[in-house]
């Protein structure tokens, strides 16, 4: 069943406000009654393993499901198989740069509305990608990054 691995239990007693995926499922009402919700899926696209691992840990700790790609080609294949709810994108990568990846995504009807957050150490990154939903410099401000992602997924 699609999405079963994305289910996370919302622990009401802890007061956690876990992000939930917004899609219709036949048993969504039953899950809601049981307090089980779907975690938003975020695709982290970054060729630097340390940065990708840091973002993955940060996002998983915040209750998101995370998948990673080390370049644009790999990310495009992942999006075709199972589109994420948001993409965290590095600009400078091998094979398929973040800029080319961004342009391809914005042309794909099935993926053009996925929010994209640029995370890059590249100077002038605001000029490289037209109209991203947010831009962060490496190293990212943890609190601001999570706040931005949460607001984009609400």
């Amino acid at each position: 069943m699609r999405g079963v691995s994305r289910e996370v239990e919302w622990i009401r007693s802890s007061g956690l406000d876990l992000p939930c995926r917004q899609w219709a499922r036949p048993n969504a009402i039953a899950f809601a009654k049981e307090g089980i919700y779907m975690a938003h899926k975020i695709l982290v696209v970054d060729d630097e393993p340390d940065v990708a691992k840091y973002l993955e840990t940060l996002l998983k700790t915040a209750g998101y499901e995370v998948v990673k790609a080390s370049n644009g080609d790999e990310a495009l294949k992942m999006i075709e198989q199972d589109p994420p709810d948001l993409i965290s994108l590095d600009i400078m990568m091998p094979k398929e740069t973040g800029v080319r990846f961004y342009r391809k995504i914005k042309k794909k009807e099935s993926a053009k509305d996925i929010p994209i957050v640029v995370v890059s150490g590249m100077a002038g990154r605001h000029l490289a990608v037209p109209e991203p939903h947010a831009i962060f410099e490496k190293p990212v401000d943890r609190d601001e990054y999570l706040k931005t992602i949460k607001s984009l997924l609400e």
Side-chain angles (χ1 to χ4, degrees):
M1 175 185 289
R2 182 174 186 233
V4 172
S5 66
R6 293 189 199 122
E7 290 162 13
V8 293
E9 188 170 343
W10 181 12
I11 306 169
R12 290 185 176 103
S13 62
S14 70
L16 290 177
D17 181 22
L18 294 179
C20 300
R21 230 178 148 159
Q22 304 297 317
W23 62 8
R25 293 184 55 177
N27 52 0
I29 294 170
F31 282 139
K33 286 179 181 175
E34 293 175 21
I36 298 174
Y37 296 85
M38 305 302 294
H40 282 290
K41 180 179 174 183
I42 299 175
L43 172 59
V44 173
V45 187
D46 201 306
D47 63 316
E48 296 178 57
D50 292 344
V51 173
K53 184 64 177 172
Y54 172 73
L55 294 175
E56 176 186 29
T57 302
L58 185 64
L59 293 165
K60 280 187 174 182
T61 301
Y64 298 100
E65 177 189 354
V66 180
V67 292
K68 297 184 296 184
S70 60
N71 62 62
D73 288 337
E74 188 179 328
L76 284 170
K77 289 175 187 169
M78 294 173 86
I79 290 169
E80 288 172 6
Q81 292 173 355
D82 188 17
D85 297 302
L86 184 137
I87 299 168
S88 180
L89 177 65
D90 183 18
I91 298 296
M92 297 299 293
M93 295 183 296
K95 294 185 183 179
E96 182 76 45
T97 68
V99 176
R100 271 190 267 152
F101 169 81
Y102 181 89
R103 289 183 183 143
K104 285 181 181 180
I105 286 297
K106 291 303 174 184
K107 289 179 184 176
K108 289 177 98 34
E109 192 62 36
S110 62
K112 70 179 183 180
D113 294 325
I114 298 172
I116 297 179
V117 174
V118 172
V119 177
S120 183
M122 184 178 102
R125 66 202 172 283
H126 62 285
L127 302 173
V129 177
E131 301 178 31
H133 290 84
I135 299 173
F136 288 90
E137 270 187 41
K138 290 179 182 177
V140 298
D141 176 315
R142 180 178 75 88
D143 295 331
E144 199 58 37
Y145 181 73
L146 289 174
K147 179 180 163 186
T148 300
I149 287 188
K150 182 178 180 181
S151 71
L152 288 170
L153 292 172
E154 289 180 338

